[in-house]
């Protein structure tokens, strides 16, 4: 009996479970229920990439000055870059949850814990079928924790790609203030604060993060997301309704560019903002020389309607139903409990399947403090 159980366990661990992306028709059904995200807490990363349990890195939106048009490549040589060689796992999210748990333990009944980026990745897969991805998962108690899988060999960006990435960060600095507008206006500092934004050094270590609880169909989720800014002073309830995403894109000076923007960029903009309950996406349109030409606001809830009747475009219900099915698939096959037991969840663009395989027992990616105080195995 013991040998039979051991053989069955070994077989389960070596098997690769598969979920096909096709046919799309099975996802063209009414959307599963999605609960508006409820913020549990927030935290910040400072310039040293240290977690601070406060809103010190929360920034406030004020439209950028575009006359004369600014260059979003200014200051690229002096930027302060985050060190991506260090794997942070989901340590920041776990540290925030550990702190919150001490006075609100009942909030931690959840099927999944992961950063928003992982959920977004699943959402957009039906329309990004050529983009493979991989995540790691572990189950402790009834909760499955998911993180990005380490890259075996990071792909280096071309010089042009690095420049365009920088323009996104620079655009943010031109849109942000350190204090609410009404406070700066009251103190007679608004004009100087607006003018000084062009000289702000880009520092990608700094982040403000919102930790929230939501539900997609039958799956409860606790997630964390970097938030670019807020429209006014943060309220005590539902701050997500005032949060704002800041994005950049190439100028849309041809029908082809407009089609690609709507098909790919708007999809990602919508998914990111929808998942975190952020109502507004502000997009700065720049040329290849980094010159900012115009700025446009998109209401998150309206984005799916902008592409709804256009040929070859994406559908929000397909994204949501696919994500709901993938989470069900993960629940079914990430089954063995214990922080050392890890699984690989991957989308293979060749076979166009989501695959789950057991990696075996490895060093836990959940922090010791979190395991000791919150996720007791």
């Amino acid at each position: 009996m013991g040998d039979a159980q051991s053989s069955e366990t070994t077989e389960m661990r070596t098997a690769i479970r598969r979920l096909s992306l096709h046919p799309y028709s099975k996802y063209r059904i009414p959307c599963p229920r999605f609960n508006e995200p409820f913020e549990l807490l927030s935290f910040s990363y400072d310039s040293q990439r240290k977690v601070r349990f406060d809103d010190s890195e929360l920034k406030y939106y004020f439209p950028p000055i575009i006359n004369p048009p600014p260059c979003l490549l200014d200051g690229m040589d002096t930027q302060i870059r985050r060190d991506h060689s260090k794997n942070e796992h989901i340590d920041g999210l776990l540290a925030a949850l550990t702190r919150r748990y001490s006075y609100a333990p009942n909030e931690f009944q959840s099927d999944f814990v992961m950063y928003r980026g992982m959920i977004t990745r699943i959402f957009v897969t039906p329309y990004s079928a050529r983009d493979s991805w991989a995540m790691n998962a572990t189950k402790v108690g009834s909760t499955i924790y998911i993180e990005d899988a380490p890259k075996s060999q990071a792909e280096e960006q071309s010089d042009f790609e690095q420049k365009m990435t920088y323009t996104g960060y620079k655009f943010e600095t031109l849109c942000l203030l350190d204090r609410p507008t009404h406070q700066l206006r009251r103190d007679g500092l608004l004009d100087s604060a607006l003018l000084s934004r062009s000289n702000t050094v880009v520092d990608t270590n700094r982040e403000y993060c919102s930790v929230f609880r939501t539900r997609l169909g039958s799956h409860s989720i606790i997630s964390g997301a970097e938030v670019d800014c807020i429209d006014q002073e943060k309220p005590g309830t539902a701050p997500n309704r005032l949060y704002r995403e800041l994005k950049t894109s190439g100028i849309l000076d041809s029908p082809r560019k407009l089609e690609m923007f709507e098909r790919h960029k708007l999809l990602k903009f919508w998914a990111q903002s929808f998942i975190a309950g952020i109502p507004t996406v502000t997009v700065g349109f720049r040329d290849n020389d980094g010159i900012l030409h115009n700025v446009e606001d998109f209401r998150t809830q309206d984005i799916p309607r902008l592409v709804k009747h256009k040929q070859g475009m994406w559908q929000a219900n397909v994204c949501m139903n696919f994500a709901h099915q993938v989470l069900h698939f993960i629940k079914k096959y990430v089954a063995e409990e214990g922080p050392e037991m890890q699984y690989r969840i991957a989308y293979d663009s060749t076979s166009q399947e989501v695959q789950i395989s057991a990696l075996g027992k490895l060093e836990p990616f959940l922090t010791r403090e979190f395991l000791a105080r919150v996720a007791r195995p």
Side-chain angles (χ1 to χ4, degrees):
M1 183 69 175
D3 290 342
Q5 288 179 337
S6 176
S7 177
E8 182 178 352
T9 301
T10 301
E11 182 179 348
M12 290 176 61
R13 287 186 177 181
T14 56
I16 297 178
R17 310 297 181 176
R18 304 174 190 273
L19 174 68
S20 177
L21 180 60
H22 301 284
Y24 279 19
S25 58
K26 60 185 174 182
Y27 306 118
R28 292 192 179 103
I29 57 177
C31 296
R33 178 181 175 182
F34 184 80
N35 288 6
E36 179 182 5
F38 175 82
E39 184 170 281
L40 300 173
L41 71 156
S42 54
F43 67 95
S44 299
Y45 282 106
D46 65 16
S47 61
Q48 304 302 311
R49 201 62 187 170
K50 302 296 184 185
V51 174
R52 299 181 58 170
F53 300 109
D54 57 30
D55 294 340
S56 56
E57 294 300 330
L58 176 61
K59 305 299 181 184
Y60 302 86
Y61 179 72
F62 195 93
I65 299 170
I66 59 173
N67 188 18
C71 179
L72 300 181
L73 293 174
D74 286 351
M76 185 172 177
D77 293 339
T78 59
Q79 67 175 307
I80 301 170
R81 297 183 182 184
R82 173 184 162 191
D83 181 5
H84 286 278
S85 66
K86 179 183 178 182
N87 190 344
E88 294 181 346
H89 299 284
I90 54 173
D91 293 358
L93 178 58
L94 298 181
L97 293 177
T98 302
R99 184 179 177 88
R100 177 78 175 185
Y101 182 81
S102 62
Y103 56 92
N106 293 332
E107 293 180 343
F108 288 83
Q109 302 300 316
S110 180
D111 297 326
F112 295 94
V113 171
M114 66 184 114
Y115 274 119
R116 173 184 61 176
M118 303 301 99
I119 313 173
T120 302
R121 192 178 286 176
I122 297 171
F123 258 58
V124 305
T125 296
Y127 301 99
S128 303
R130 296 179 181 178
D131 299 331
S132 296
W133 49 256
M135 312 172 189
N136 290 344
T138 191
K139 183 176 183 179
V140 180
S142 60
T143 301
I144 296 171
Y145 300 83
I146 297 176
E147 68 160 5
D148 198 5
K151 306 295 187 296
S152 57
Q153 185 176 357
E155 294 184 7
E156 292 187 8
Q157 289 184 317
S158 67
D159 289 344
F160 178 76
E161 289 172 332
Q162 290 182 38
K163 288 180 179 180
M164 294 304 100
T165 297
Y166 175 80
T167 63
Y169 294 122
K170 185 63 177 179
F171 178 67
E172 291 178 9
T173 67
L174 299 180
C175 295
L176 303 179
L177 295 168
D178 290 332
R179 295 169 58 193
T181 305
H182 75 274
Q183 292 183 9
L184 293 169
R185 185 178 286 115
R186 177 196 65 200
D187 297 341
L189 298 173
L190 181 58
D191 289 344
S192 61
L194 293 177
L195 292 173
S196 68
R197 296 189 295 184
S198 61
N199 297 320
T200 300
V201 175
V202 168
D203 183 352
T204 58
N205 288 299
R206 297 179 181 272
E207 286 183 23
Y208 167 78
C209 297
S210 171
V211 180
F212 56 91
R213 183 178 64 229
T214 187
R215 175 177 287 274
L216 177 63
S218 59
H219 312 298
S220 55
I221 304 166
I222 290 177
S223 187
E226 179 184 1
V227 175
D228 294 325
C229 57
I230 193 168
D231 284 349
Q232 61 190 53
E233 202 159 1
K234 184 177 177 178
T237 58
N240 61 288
R241 296 178 183 177
L242 295 175
Y243 289 154
R244 181 183 292 259
E245 289 278 357
L246 302 175
K247 302 292 184 182
T248 55
S249 174
I251 54 175
L252 308 179
D253 54 2
S254 72
R256 176 62 175 166
K257 288 182 180 179
L258 175 61
E259 179 188 354
M260 297 303 289
F261 173 76
E262 293 179 336
R263 180 176 293 177
H264 299 294
K265 285 214 164 185
L266 275 187
L267 168 61
K268 291 181 180 178
F269 294 170
W270 167 77
Q272 287 181 326
S273 301
F274 175 78
I275 290 164
I278 298 176
T280 308
V281 184
T282 295
V283 182
F285 292 92
R286 44 102 184 114
D287 61 27
N288 288 344
D289 294 321
I291 303 300
L292 180 64
H293 287 258
N294 64 296
V295 177
E296 185 175 350
D297 288 347
F298 294 84
R299 288 177 56 82
T300 302
Q301 66 180 18
D302 293 339
I303 291 176
R305 287 195 287 270
L306 294 177
V307 302
K308 185 174 182 180
H309 298 295
K310 297 186 178 182
Q311 186 175 3
M313 289 295 172
W314 52 274
Q315 296 175 292
N317 62 319
V318 171
C319 299
M320 295 176 69
N321 282 303
F322 176 73
H324 186 262
Q325 185 63 36
V326 169
L327 293 180
H328 178 76
F329 179 62
I330 294 170
K331 272 185 182 177
K332 183 175 181 179
Y333 292 113
V334 177
E336 187 173 339
E337 295 182 37
E340 297 89 3
M341 185 61 197
Q342 294 183 31
Y343 293 80
R344 173 64 48 83
I345 305 165
Y347 170 72
D348 177 57
S349 60
T350 302
S351 63
Q352 298 201 340
E353 296 173 329
V354 177
Q355 302 174 354
I356 296 178
S357 57
L359 298 176
K361 295 194 173 182
L362 304 171
E363 180 70 21
F365 64 79
L366 303 183
T367 63
R368 292 180 181 179
E369 183 180 16
F370 184 77
L371 287 170
R373 297 184 59 187
V374 183
R376 299 179 182 88

